[in-house]
Amino acid sequence: STGHYDLARIQNSLKTHKLILTTNFDHLLEDALIRSNVPVNICADTGYAKYVRTWKRRNEVVLIKLHGDYITETANTHDELLD
């Protein structure tokens, strides 16, 4: 959507604050970032969380999908979020 592309454009212009947190399950935001040539690393499940600090050092946008996405594990309930 236009809003996703606007966010990608703004994010690409920033020199700091390269972190995006989202609860969306879809891929609209990451698709907009990729199509806008914004270097992005996507953390959609806990297995990727250990790499976030490394990605930040490489000055890439880190997109953290707090509840996972529709392809990876999702975490919605209280018990799932505790894991």
Side-chain angles (χ1 to χ4, degrees):
S1 74
T2 302
H4 293 99
Y5 282 98
D6 288 343
L7 181 58
R9 183 181 46 77
I10 292 167
Q11 190 65 47
N12 200 29
S13 70
L14 296 175
K15 301 299 180 211
T16 60
H17 300 86
K18 298 283 189 176
L19 177 65
I20 301 173
L21 303 175
T22 182
T23 57
N24 291 359
F25 291 106
D26 59 47
H27 291 170
L28 295 174
L29 184 52
E30 48 262 60
D31 289 347
L33 290 164
I34 291 165
R35 289 180 182 165
S36 299
N37 296 315
V38 177
V40 61
N41 282 291
I42 301 152
C43 180
D45 68 41
T46 56
Y48 293 106
K50 62 185 171 188
Y51 299 110
V52 169
R53 194 169 283 178
T54 302
W55 294 338
K56 268 188 92 171
R57 281 186 290 226
R58 294 194 324 223
N59 201 32
E60 297 170 328
V61 172
V62 177
L63 174 64
I64 298 178
K65 302 188 88 169
L66 297 171
H67 297 286
D69 64 19
Y70 66 86
I71 293 174
T72 63
E73 290 181 36
T74 59
N76 293 303
T77 68
H78 178 72
D79 290 338
E80 289 172 341
L81 291 169
L82 290 176
D83 289 337

